[in-house]
Amino acid sequence: MYLEIITPDKKVFAGEVDAAQFPGTNGSFEVLNQHAPLISTLERGRIRITTKQGQEFFTVDGGVVEVLNNRIIVLAESVIS
C-alpha cells in the first residue's frame, strides 16, 4: 500500500507500507493491504506504520484519513515530533 501523511505545511511521509494504525474518532483502527474503501476523522494520537524496515510513529493533532485502492492519504492538522 502507498501512504502519504500531509499537513498544511509539508509532506511528512510518503512511501510503501505493510500496515498502518490510526487514532480514529471512534477508536483506533488498522489498515492492511486490500482494505475496503474508508474515510474517517482522526483524533489527536499516534499513527503507527509498519514497513519492511520496521515501525515508525507519528503523532497527529487530528485530521482525516482516506483509504481507496491500496492508497492511504492522511490530511493531518499537524504532526508533533
Side-chain angles (χ1 to χ4, degrees):
M1 295 179 297
Y2 189 78
L3 169 67
E4 285 184 285
I5 300 175
I6 303 168
T7 68
D9 300 333
K10 63 183 176 182
K11 187 179 290 189
V12 178
F13 178 88
E16 291 292 323
V17 299
D18 296 326
Q21 185 176 35
F22 299 99
T25 303
N26 293 323
S28 71
F29 61 94
E30 187 168 32
V31 175
L32 301 171
N33 199 26
Q34 301 297 327
H35 197 283
L38 167 77
I39 295 177
S40 176
T41 54
L42 300 175
E43 288 191 342
R44 181 184 179 111
R46 188 168 75 166
I47 294 175
R48 181 187 75 198
I49 62 170
T50 305
T51 66
K52 300 225 182 299
Q53 291 76 35
Q55 292 187 345
E56 289 185 57
F57 299 91
F58 301 93
T59 301
V60 295
D61 196 21
V64 177
V65 61
E66 178 188 45
V67 178
L68 184 62
N69 298 327
N70 277 337
R71 186 171 180 90
I72 306 167
I73 299 174
V74 176
L75 303 174
E77 293 178 24
S78 66
V79 173
I80 304 148
S81 298

